Amino acid sequence: MTGNASRRRIRRAVVTGGAGFLGSHLCERLLDRGVSVVCMDNFLTGTPRNVAHLMGRPGFRVVECDLTGFVHVPGDVDLVLHFASAASPIDYLKLPVETLKVGGLGTLHALGLAREKGARFVLASTSEVYGDPLQHPQREDYWGNVNPVGPRSVYDEAKRYAEALTTAYRNSRGVDTGIVRIFNTYGPRMRPHDGRAIPTFIRQALAGEPLTVAGDGSQTRSICYVDDTVAGVLALACSDLAGPVNIGNAEETSVLALAETIRELAGSDSPIEFVERPTDDPSVRCPDTTLARERLGWEPRVPNTEGLRRTIAWFAAELGVTGDRTRAAAGG
Ligand code: NAD
């Protein structure tokens, strides 16, 4: 794989968290581009099922490994994509210490691996480093508004620490690093019960259950289809950019409007039910993607209705839903 922004040639990549939602799509896209892939995962929130279809493809290996322990990869490595970490609120609230450990120790070990191999390192950071933002839309030079002792801090602060560690390795250890701040991404292989808004609404709509909207649903999110996010991450990986770089869709939607769109696309007549809003739930979320557009030539291409349609169709197949709802989701 050769990047546009540099003459970087990537023959072999390590993807930590490669059996998770985003990691499995990254493994697949890298293999499609002729890159050998070592997928490292301890299956804490991911599953071997996510990469089962890749087994047997030339150059693909899965290594069961906890990044917070000893990490070793024999042979050359040109790129380390560090994606290991619980990412959904349900997961990281259940696994607070594990989340902090993989953000700290796991990042340290992944950086050590990149240093040993002379590989480029890309950290999967998150829009959550902006917390409940006081700047809108969020630009990369905004420092954020995070509660360090709130329930979400285990994730937000782990990622902020991971960004600091990555920057320190770049400045004091000479590792070629990039930081990507990913905004809400959705698509096939999300878990129906992972607690994030899109899989929850889709599951509820397909089951004919009420769609549970937090608060009055006026809080906003910006959602990006997984293929676009993966293209953005790989564009950064192939460049020399240190970042941080926002990758996300700048089209902002309220959570209520999102629920209504999903209900319609799924052909469901579920009612909307308003439930209590979680502590420190951000009120707004929207990336400024000027940097990604200007420096990486990246912008999202898949319209939300199309991405949601594909995702609903995948969930319907996964959950064994047939009939009108499946046809509606597939656009039939
Ligand atoms: P996911 O839970 O599906 O994937 C995370 C993977 O990391 C899982 O397969 C899990 O088993 C693995 N993992 C966790 N701890 C590990 C450890 N100690 N050692 C080895 N493997 C470990 O989550 P995801 O949505 O695919 O997110 C992947 C990455 O992208 C995360 O770092 C997350 O913070 C970041 N991100 C995701 C989103 C999004 O919208 N999905 C947004 C922002 C940032």
Side-chain angles (χ1 to χ4, degrees):
M1 188 169 83
T2 313
N4 329 330
S6 73
R7 283 183 293 277
R8 187 182 304 285
R9 172 131 178 81
I10 299 166
R11 293 173 212 86
R12 190 160 182 253
V14 168
V15 181
T16 78
F21 161 54
L22 283 180
S24 63
H25 285 276
L26 280 166
C27 290
E28 189 166 348
R29 189 71 65 92
L30 285 164
L31 288 169
D32 290 346
R33 293 188 186 183
V35 178
S36 296
V37 176
V38 181
C39 159
M40 302 183 93
D41 207 296
N42 65 351
F43 309 125
L44 192 62
T45 56
T47 160
R49 270 190 66 208
N50 283 339
V51 287
H53 63 297
L54 304 178
M55 301 305 281
R57 280 186 67 168
F60 185 62
R61 252 185 84 203
V62 179
V63 178
E64 184 169 356
C65 152
D66 185 337
L67 259 284
T68 65
F70 177 71
V71 175
H72 174 68
V73 177
D76 292 341
V77 175
D78 308 301
L79 173 67
V80 176
L81 296 176
H82 181 43
F83 276 65
S85 170
S88 88
I90 277 196
D91 288 334
Y92 62 69
L93 293 176
K94 208 165 51 194
L95 300 162
V97 175
E98 290 81 353
T99 304
L100 283 156
K101 277 179 79 176
V102 75
L105 281 174
T107 304
L108 191 70
H109 293 156
L111 279 161
L113 177 68
R115 185 179 183 211
E116 177 203 331
K117 304 290 183 185
R120 173 136 165 102
F121 174 91
V122 173
L123 171 72
S125 186
T126 169
S127 57
E128 300 298 326
V129 300
Y130 299 122
D132 194 1
L134 304 176
Q135 184 193 89
H136 192 66
Q138 293 81 56
R139 261 175 37 168
E140 289 86 349
D141 56 6
Y142 175 54
W143 292 355
N145 178 36
V146 172
N147 174 358
V149 292
R152 301 170 74 101
S153 65
V154 298
Y155 182 63
D156 304 0
E157 297 291 21
K159 290 291 182 181
R160 290 167 68 96
Y161 178 81
E163 287 199 9
L165 207 48
T166 302
T167 307
Y169 262 68
R170 181 178 183 90
N171 294 337
S172 76
R173 300 284 195 276
V175 178
D176 173 12
T177 62
I179 297 172
V180 54
R181 290 189 181 146
I182 301 168
F183 282 65
N184 288 342
T185 298
Y186 68 96
R189 291 188 218 130
M190 293 186 95
R191 283 172 296 138
H193 288 275
D194 86 354
R196 291 184 261 202
I198 292 179
T200 305
F201 292 155
I202 295 180
R203 175 173 55 76
Q204 292 168 331
L206 290 173
E209 291 169 3
L211 272 63
T212 47
V213 169
D216 63 2
S218 62
Q219 66 276 23
T220 67
R221 297 292 180 266
S222 304
I223 60 167
C224 191
Y225 189 62
V226 62
D227 289 0
D228 282 330
T229 297
V230 164
V233 170
L234 293 183
L236 175 65
C238 290
S239 78
D240 296 323
L241 208 57
V245 182
N246 288 338
I247 291 291
N249 192 334
E251 194 184 313
E252 192 178 0
T253 168
S254 76
V255 171
L256 178 58
L258 180 61
E260 288 168 344
T261 304
I262 289 176
R263 177 171 66 174
E264 191 189 322
L265 291 172
S268 167
D269 48 16
S270 293
I272 303 277
E273 187 180 303
F274 295 94
V275 297
E276 202 183 329
R277 220 167 132 197
T279 315
D280 296 337
D281 188 39
S283 311
V284 287
R285 187 61 95 230
C286 182
D288 181 322
T289 51
T290 310
L291 189 62
R293 205 173 47 246
E294 289 182 353
R295 298 291 304 277
L296 301 175
W298 175 88
E299 52 192 351
R301 297 186 186 287
V302 182
N304 281 338
T305 43
E306 175 55 25
L308 287 170
R309 230 187 264 284
R310 289 186 208 167
T311 310
I312 293 166
W314 183 87
F315 270 78
E318 189 72 3
L319 297 170
V321 179
T322 51
D324 290 348
R325 287 191 179 117
T326 321
R327 275 195 295 281

